[in-house]
Structures are given as structure tokens and as C-alpha cells.
Amino acid sequence: MAEAIYVGGLLVATPLLDDPNFRRCVVLILEHDIDGGTLGVVLNRPSDISVTQVLPVWDPLVTGPPVLFEGGPVQTDSALALAAVPSGEEPLGWRRLHAGTPAVSRLGTVDLDAPPEILQGEIAQMRIFAGYAGWTSGQLASEIAEGAWYVVDSEAGDTFNADPGSLWRHVLRRQPGELAFVATCPDDPTQN
């Protein structure tokens, strides 16, 4: 399990975290600045809203399921897109995450104001998130210290997992030691 908060890492909600915004969620950290705070998106909350309903021009580029994902409780009326590029190239309209981890080395944000045609054939996978998760300076570190989050390494398949509903258990199950057992925790801990 990783110790520090870092871009490209995952925040996995512990069973103790009962905030409905984050219960059993997996957050990919997109930005982290000790003085400025942390920003990420929830990877495992697909919505019932199709991309076609909101951003139809981007629908052909979206990786299934072709719906908006609930990225977090902040600015839910705005959209943020993540895309993976197949090579080390940086196409127009795409900005690489500043992360040193191989799992997210080809991951970046998409400028949704750009014409989708410039990214056609340039990206391998893409998801669009409504809103994001954000923490002020020191807030996330405090929540981790209180036992609300596990900080773990991401793997290449996490961001575009075909079965987002199983991502929480999947990420925990692959962790070393006792942390893997947390994946078996029932939805209602009182039933344990």
C-alpha cells in the first residue's frame, strides 16, 4: 500500500467511510499540491445519463459503458474527460497527467471544447465525468489519518474498467496482506 498522496494513485474508501458521496468508491488522483489541495474523479459510479444526451459529439470516442460517470460532488454541472493515448505522443486537445507511475503514463485530460475530430484515432479509451472530488490543503491527509481512505497504486485497467461496479472489490482484492480481506466486507458492516 502506498504511503503518500500522489497523482495517478487511487483513493479507495474504507468500509468506515459512510458519506454517500464516497461510499465504496475508488478515486483516481488527477492533481495534488500540498499547498493547493487534491483533485480526483470517482471511477466506479456510472450514471444513467448517456453521453449522447449531454455531449453527443463525444459519444463515438467514449469507452463503454457510454454514460457520464459521477466524478464527485464538486461542480456536478461541469464535465471532465480522461483519455488514454496508444503511444507516447501528445495529441492536440489532450494534456498528460503529471504522474510518474507507469499505470497512468498514457492518461490525460481532454479539452471538451476542442473539436472531437482532432482526437479521432489519437486516443485509445475515453470516459467523461460529471463533477469531481476535491479536498483543500491538508483535508485529504486528515481523512486518511482518520481511516476514511486507503491510498493504493493504480493499474492500467482501473480507469476504464469494463465493470465499474466491481472496481472497489477488485482493487482491494489485489492488495497485499490483510487489506485484501477488506474486499469481502459486506455492504452493511453490521451484517459481518
Side-chain angles (χ1 to χ4, degrees), residues 148-192:
W149 299 100
Y150 303 116
V151 182
V152 301
D153 294 333
S154 60
E155 290 187 358
D158 293 338
T159 303
F160 304 105
N161 190 296
D163 182 14
S166 69
L167 188 61
W168 185 82
R169 288 186 193 281
H170 177 75
V171 169
L172 286 170
R173 204 172 284 130
R174 73 178 184 232
Q175 301 308 311
E178 293 181 14
L179 190 52
F181 291 113
V182 176
T184 64
C185 184
D187 286 337
D188 181 356
T190 62
Q191 300 294 315
N192 200 2

Side-chain angles (χ1 to χ4, degrees), residues 71 73 83 122 125 130 139 162 178:
E122 299 291 326
Q125 296 171 299
Q139 182 183 7
E178 293 181 14

Side-chain angles (χ1 to χ4, degrees), residues 98-130:
H98 295 288
T101 59
V104 295
S105 65
R106 294 188 173 167
L107 195 60
T109 56
V110 172
D111 177 359
L112 292 172
D113 290 328
E117 299 78 37
I118 66 171
L119 286 166
Q120 188 79 39
E122 299 291 326
I123 59 173
Q125 296 171 299
M126 179 173 153
R127 284 224 167 120
I128 300 176
F129 301 86

